[in-house]
Every structure is written in C-alpha cells, then in structure tokens.
Amino acid sequence: MSRIGIVGLGLIGGSLGLDLRAQGHEVLGIARRRATCDRALKRGIADHSATDLTLLSEVDLIFLCTPIAAILPTLEQIIPHLHPDTIITDVASVKTPIVTAATTLWPYFLGGHPMAGTEQQGVEAAQRDLFQNAPYVLTPTAATPAEIIATLTPLIGQLQARCYHCSPAAHDRAVASISHLPVMLSASLIACQDTLDAETLPLAQALASSGFRDTSRVGGGNPELGVMMARYNRAALQAALQSYRQSLDRLSDQIEQEDWAGLTAMLQQTQTARRPFVAEDT
Ligand code: NAP
C-alpha cells in the first residue's frame, strides 16, 4: 500500500483515484477548487482532498493529471512541498516536451500516458475500470532511475491496463500516426464537404450512413483536443501528415492514370495491413 497524490481530479485523475483506492492505496487528491475536492471525497475518488499543495509532502508517488498546458507549471508549484524521494508521473497525451522539461526539474520523474478516455470531462466523468485492458505507456529515458520503473510498472498492472515502455519520441511518433493523424484526416474529410454545390450538399447529408459516420467520428470531436495534439506534438504530426499526403497522391495518380492493377494491389495490401492495428476488433 502506498500513499499516492493525484493533482487534477478530472476524468483521468478521478478514475485513477477510484481504481487506486479500490486496490488499497491511500489517495490524497489536489484540485484547484474546493467544490471539486468535496465532490471527489463524496464520490470516493480520494481519502483526503485539498486545494493546499502541502498535502503532497506526505506522499510516496504523484500522478499529475491536469490538462497538458498545466502539467509543467503544476510540477514547478508542487516541488517546494515534496520529500526528495517522491516519484512523479504524469498522464499527458504527448510526452517529449513534458518529459524533457520535467526530468530537469525533478530527477524522479517518469512520463506516462494511459490510452483510455471518454468524451466527458471533470470530476463527475471519473469512472471505475477506465484503464482495464487499455494500453498504458511509460516513457523512461536513459537517465530514469530503475527503481521508479520498478515501482510504477506493477502499479499500472493493478489498474488492469497493458503496460508498454518506450522512449518519449517513439511514443509521440506512434500516437501522431494512429491517433493525432486520424483526427486531422477526419476533420479535413468533413471540411471538404463544404465544396459540394447547393444541390449536392443536402443530398450527401441525407445519404451519409455508417461509412461517413465511422470516418468522420474523430474529426467531429472536441476542437481543444485537436489543437492540443497539433501544438504539443507538432513535429511528429507534421511528419505523419507528410507521409499521408504522399500516400494520397499515389492513390490519386493511380485513379488518374486508370491504373486499376496498381490500385487493386494497394487496396489488397491495406486490407491485410489494417489487421495488426485493430487485432481485438477482428
Ligand atoms: P479533465 O477531465 O478536464 O480534468 C482536468 C483536471 O485538471 C480537473 O480536475 C481540473 O480542475 C484540473 N485543471 C484544469 N485546468 C487546470 C489548471 N490550469 N491548473 C490546475 N488544474 C487544472 O481532463 P482529463 O481528460 O482528465 O485530462 C487530464 C490529462 O489527461 C491531460 O493532460 C490529458 O492529455 C490526459 N489524457 C486525457 C485523456 C482523455 O481521453 N480525456 C486520455 C489520456 C490522457 P477543476 O475541477 O478545478 O476544473
């Protein structure tokens, strides 16, 4: 049993609190507003909750669960209150900028990203078993002390998540390709419907069915999240967009040149290549 601090008691922080308490850990929750602390206590997210950072002087390990832009400022604010052995991790969806800066501020920092979520936000959105069967990526660097990895890995296992270890840069390239790129493609798919003429647009809207619903879903989500991906994972997302542009150009050339054999070969290849990405769905 550990004493665990959670800063930011929203969807991810609150869900961690519920699961970690269920595993017998003592959870000390920090929020900006007293009302969030009261709800967190009422919902069983934390054993103790306060807006006062001094509560963190008593913990072994801290999860930083604020929005991405607040992770590093929050780390700077809490440092004066911590015991020097305290392990700190975060849950932000982009790792390189966070890990690079955080490890210079605090040597016992190990970046993390639970790849689970819902469309909801805030303390009311927290739920039990959110991380069950979901990937949870830890991003050590060459300088990460081995004991932090040895402490955090089994804790992630207790959430029933599938724990992966990789470098921050590899994490950011992978999520750029399978998470951030699809949001941008899906958004541009929706945006280009604007070019339809006045007769065709309402007809297309009436005829749109499961294919359009599936391919437009992630592009029709929270705009703030899309901007966050582009801002904090800019280089990896640009590389992914560039690679996608080449792929789209190749496809467009095949259609232009009526290269049906080439198009067939490409679609046969993508039919097979999709499977390892969605193994659990097939
Ligand atoms: P959320 O539900 O909005 O929760 C954010 C929490 O941080 C709230 O408790 C909020 O406090 C607090 N907060 C907001 N702005 C703050 C600030 N400027 N300074 C300090 N605290 C602040 O968000 P979330 O979905 O849990 O996301 C939190 C983190 O998890 C993000 O870094 C995100 O990248 C990562 N993440 C999200 C998902 C997802 O699907 N949502 C998945 C994986 C990782 P109040 O209650 O006082 O407003």
Side-chain angles (χ1 to χ4, degrees):
M1 198 270 270
S2 305
R3 285 191 125 188
I4 298 176
I6 299 179
V7 185
L9 302 172
L11 168 68
I12 301 294
S15 300
L16 280 170
L18 289 169
D19 282 359
L20 291 169
R21 285 193 74 223
Q23 291 295 323
H25 300 288
E26 187 179 359
V27 172
L28 284 66
I30 301 283
R32 284 180 304 177
R33 296 177 296 127
R34 186 64 241 171
T36 305
C37 299
D38 293 343
R39 278 306 292 158
L41 288 172
K42 211 162 212 146
R43 294 208 53 210
I45 286 169
D47 296 280
H48 312 278
S49 189
T51 54
D52 179 4
L53 300 178
T54 57
L55 194 66
L56 296 172
S57 62
E58 303 162 23
V59 304
D60 309 310
L61 193 152
I62 295 171
F63 284 86
L64 297 177
C65 302
T66 64
I68 292 191
I71 298 266
L72 291 171
T74 302
L75 177 59
E76 283 175 326
Q77 277 172 22
I78 66 172
I79 279 174
H81 304 284
L82 304 184
H83 188 275
D85 295 338
T86 312
I87 293 172
I88 306 182
T89 186
D90 76 313
V91 296
S93 342
V94 175
K95 299 277 44 103
T96 306
I98 303 270
V99 173
T100 306
T103 46
T104 61
L105 292 167
W106 193 256
Y108 291 107
F109 183 91
L110 173 54
H113 178 201
M115 299 193 64
T118 70
E119 311 289 301
Q120 311 299 316
Q121 279 186 294
V123 68
E124 300 302 338
Q127 61 182 66
R128 278 289 309 274
D129 299 330
L130 180 69
F131 311 103
Q132 202 167 45
N133 297 322
Y136 196 124
V137 189
L138 293 176
T139 59
T141 68
T144 308
E147 66 264 31
I148 312 187
I149 306 171
T151 302
L152 265 172
T153 303
L155 197 64
I156 302 312
Q158 288 179 12
L159 302 171
Q160 311 291 319
R162 290 183 279 126
C163 190
Y164 295 90
H165 295 165
C166 67
S167 70
H171 166 277
D172 290 351
R173 283 194 301 272
V175 296
S177 200
I178 53 83
S179 174
H180 302 170
L181 177 64
V183 169
M184 300 305 153
L185 306 189
S186 177
S188 47
L189 172 73
I190 300 168
C192 82
Q193 306 301 319
D194 266 2
T195 58
L196 292 174
D197 61 59
E199 185 189 0
T200 314
L201 179 61
L203 182 63
Q205 287 167 341
L207 298 183
S209 184
S210 56
F212 191 81
R213 189 174 297 115
D214 289 349
T215 48
S216 65
R217 185 178 65 79
V218 294
N222 182 349
E224 272 175 42
L225 280 181
V227 175
M228 175 279 294
M229 293 165 181
R231 274 187 70 178
Y232 289 92
N233 203 15
R234 187 167 149 268
L237 178 57
Q238 280 290 66
L241 279 165
Q242 185 59 27
S243 153
Y244 178 73
R245 189 173 284 131
Q246 285 167 5
S247 197
L248 194 61
D249 284 346
R250 198 161 59 241
L251 199 95
S252 180
D253 286 349
Q254 284 165 339
I255 296 169
E256 173 69 25
Q257 291 157 20
E258 302 188 31
D259 176 9
W260 308 132
L263 184 61
T264 303
M266 179 169 172
L267 294 179
Q268 280 171 341
Q269 195 261 329
T270 57
Q271 190 179 39
T272 312
R274 179 174 181 267
R275 280 186 209 126
F277 291 90
V278 291
E280 285 177 8
D281 302 340
T282 51

